């Protein structure tokens, strides 16, 4: 299993990508890690480190930055690390790719370079949202498409259901539709039209789900358009960040509160870990003809290693061929 990692993507590139790539290559000898990026920047950071035999570098001279306009960047920077990794997928030189870089550019690379599965109209970004029971809910789309049609949401439901089956071993995932109420007639025109289409899909559709109930684990797959989904994700991230800031402020006020914080520290660390993006590693762009994984922009080495772990499981369980087969009916 050949996994290409965009060495130059992310806030802490290339260091975090190198750390994660080396750790993953050392952990799993049934994969080949190909670090794609500028050799002049990568090689000095490898000096003095143990290099596994299943680790290699593919030189790419350009970088797509976080503030680059996605379509222009992908079309003009032909030798950018992200584009080169995408081309490796297209040409069969890699089986999957991981990037912590510009999300819009990765989506564009997926569409223009890698290509879609036949029958899929819009790929979707599917990320894990933590739940109280630690199982999590995979939500899609979380930002790849700001405007979606009802048939897109129906395909998102199918792809998300297959992901949870193939990668996370849930036999019959419950699929819910993000809405403002649980009644079938609720919502805007998009959700009203998507509801019956999801009912017709070969999935376990459980109806509408309100945002306040998402973390209560009342579904395994949450379907939404990219605009609403991205707002939901960032609201949860922002609330978690604000909650820990408030706790830190309260626990720092008096000697007694500091003592209480010391006693509660193991539980607080466990709660923080539960809400930590790095534990899930990466979000797949479902609907592309090869496996493309998006890591958080601020991923550290541990997050990149966990992204490789996720990617390895998806490849082992033939996620992309399964989606293609289900969509085409062949």
């Amino acid at each position: 299993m050949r996994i290409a990692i965009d060495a130059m993507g992310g806030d802490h590139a290339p260091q975090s990508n190198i750390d994660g790539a080396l750790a993953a290559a050392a952990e799993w000898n049934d994969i080949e890690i190909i670090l794609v990026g500028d050799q002049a920047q990568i090689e000095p950071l490898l000096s003095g480190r143990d290099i596994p035999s299943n680790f290699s570098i593919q030189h790419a001279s350009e970088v797509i930055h976080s503030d680059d306009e996605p379509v222009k960047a992908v079309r003009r920077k032909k030798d950018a690390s992200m584009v080169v990794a995408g081309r490796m997928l297209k040409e069969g030189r890699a089986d999957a790719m991981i990037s912590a870089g510009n999300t819009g550019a990765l989506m564009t690379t997926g569409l223009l370079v890698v290509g879609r599965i036949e029958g899929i109209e819009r790929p979707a970004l599917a990320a894990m949202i933590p739940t109280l029971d630690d199982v999590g809910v995979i939500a899609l789309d979380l930002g790849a498409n700001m405007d979606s049609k009802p048939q897109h949401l129906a395909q998102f439901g199918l792809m998300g259901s297959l992901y949870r089956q193939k990668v996370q071993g849930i036999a019959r995932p419950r699929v819910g539709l993000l809405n403002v109420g649980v009644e079938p007639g609720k919502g805007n025109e998009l959700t009203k039209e998507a509801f019956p289409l999801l009912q017709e899909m070969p999935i376990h559709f459980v109806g509408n789900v309100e945002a306040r109930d998402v973390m209560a684990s009342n579904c395994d797959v949450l379907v939404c358009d990219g605009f609403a989904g991205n707002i939901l994700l960032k609201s949860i991230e922002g609330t978690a960040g604000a909650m820990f800031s408030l706790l830190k402020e309260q626990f720092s006020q008096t000697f007694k509160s500091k003592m209480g914080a010391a006693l509660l520290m193991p539980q607080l660390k466990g709660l923080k870990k539960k809400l930590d993006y790095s534990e899930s590693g990466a979000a797949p762009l479902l609907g592309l003809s090869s496996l493309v994984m998006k890591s958080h922009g601020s991923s550290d080495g541990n997050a990149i290693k966990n992204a490789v772990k996720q990617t390895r499981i998806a490849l082992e369980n033939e996620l992309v061929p399964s989606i293609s087969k289900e969509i085409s009916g062949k």
Side-chain angles (χ1 to χ4, degrees), residues 8 62-70 73 77 82 101-103 105:
M8 314 310 292
E62 296 179 291
V63 178
I64 292 178
H65 300 285
S66 60
D67 56 351
D68 281 345
E69 198 284 315
K77 295 183 176 181
M82 185 187 293
N102 184 317
T103 303

Side-chain angles (χ1 to χ4, degrees), residues 49-77:
R49 304 183 68 169
D50 291 332
I51 309 300
S53 60
N54 56 337
F55 174 91
S56 62
I57 300 172
Q58 171 65 54
H59 178 64
S61 62
E62 296 179 291
V63 178
I64 292 178
H65 300 285
S66 60
D67 56 351
D68 281 345
E69 198 284 315
V71 177
K72 286 182 181 178
V74 171
R75 285 179 170 163
R76 292 177 181 176
K77 295 183 176 181

Side-chain angles (χ1 to χ4, degrees), residues 166-199:
K166 297 290 181 179
V167 178
Q168 294 165 340
I170 298 177
R172 195 166 179 252
R174 299 160 298 158
V175 181
L177 176 63
L178 182 65
N179 213 324
V180 295
V182 297
E183 299 86 357
K186 286 279 188 176
N188 55 16
E189 291 305 312
L190 174 63
T191 55
K192 287 177 184 177
E193 291 180 34
F195 192 98
L197 298 180
L198 284 161
Q199 287 180 309

Side-chain angles (χ1 to χ4, degrees), residues 44-313:
L45 297 174
L46 295 174
S47 179
R49 304 183 68 169
D50 291 332
I51 309 300
S53 60
N54 56 337
F55 174 91
S56 62
I57 300 172
Q58 171 65 54
H59 178 64
S61 62
E62 296 179 291
V63 178
I64 292 178
H65 300 285
S66 60
D67 56 351
D68 281 345
E69 198 284 315
V71 177
K72 286 182 181 178
V74 171
R75 285 179 170 163
R76 292 177 181 176
K77 295 183 176 181
K78 301 291 186 184
D79 202 41
S81 54
M82 185 187 293
V83 177
V84 171
R87 200 155 56 239
M88 290 172 70
L89 291 190
K90 185 69 174 179
E91 296 169 357
R93 293 186 287 135
D95 303 303
M97 71 171 283
I98 298 167
S99 178
N102 184 317
T103 303
L106 186 62
M107 180 67 174
T108 303
T109 298
L111 289 170
L112 299 183
V113 181
V114 179
R116 292 173 295 176
I117 292 172
E118 186 177 351
I120 292 290
E121 294 187 32
R122 294 280 183 88
L125 184 63
M128 189 66 72
I129 291 175
T131 54
L132 298 177
D133 61 1
D134 292 336
V135 175
V137 55
I138 192 153
L140 67 167
D141 176 30
L142 291 185
N145 310 282
M146 289 299 109
D147 297 293
S148 297
K149 296 179 181 178
Q151 60 268 31
H152 299 157
L153 298 192
Q155 290 188 343
F156 296 167
L158 177 59
M159 292 191 294
S161 180
L162 285 168
Y163 183 82
R164 296 230 70 171
Q165 288 178 51
K166 297 290 181 179
V167 178
Q168 294 165 340
I170 298 177
R172 195 166 179 252
R174 299 160 298 158
V175 181
L177 176 63
L178 182 65
N179 213 324
V180 295
V182 297
E183 299 86 357
K186 286 279 188 176
N188 55 16
E189 291 305 312
L190 174 63
T191 55
K192 287 177 184 177
E193 291 180 34
F195 192 98
L197 298 180
L198 284 161
Q199 287 180 309
E200 294 167 8
M201 281 285 177
I203 58 176
H204 179 32
F205 181 54
V206 295
N208 291 326
V209 172
E210 292 187 70
R212 66 184 177 188
D213 297 323
V214 169
M215 295 183 74
S217 195
N218 54 2
C219 66
D220 303 300
V221 179
L222 183 69
V223 175
C224 48
D225 65 279
F227 184 78
N230 195 267
I231 290 173
L232 172 69
L233 179 66
K234 288 176 180 174
S235 295
I236 291 173
E237 287 180 341
T239 301
M243 182 180 70
F244 281 109
S245 294
L246 287 170
L247 285 172
K248 186 176 181 181
E249 180 184 314
Q250 291 297 315
F251 282 133
S252 302
Q253 288 184 354
T254 66
F255 176 75
K256 284 185 177 180
S257 64
K258 288 177 182 177
M259 290 295 292
L263 292 171
L264 289 171
M265 192 57 67
Q267 288 77 17
L268 292 171
K269 284 183 176 178
L271 179 60
K272 190 172 184 180
K273 184 177 180 180
K274 183 182 286 193
L275 298 172
D276 187 0
Y277 70 88
S278 71
E279 293 301 312
S280 60
L285 270 172
L286 299 177
L288 297 174
S289 59
S290 293
L291 187 60
V292 176
M293 304 290 281
K294 173 69 177 76
S295 285
H296 200 288
S298 56
S299 290
D300 57 14
N302 183 57
I304 297 298
K305 181 185 175 183
N306 281 330
V308 174
K309 179 182 178 181
Q310 248 183 303
T311 304
R312 178 174 170 269
I313 294 169

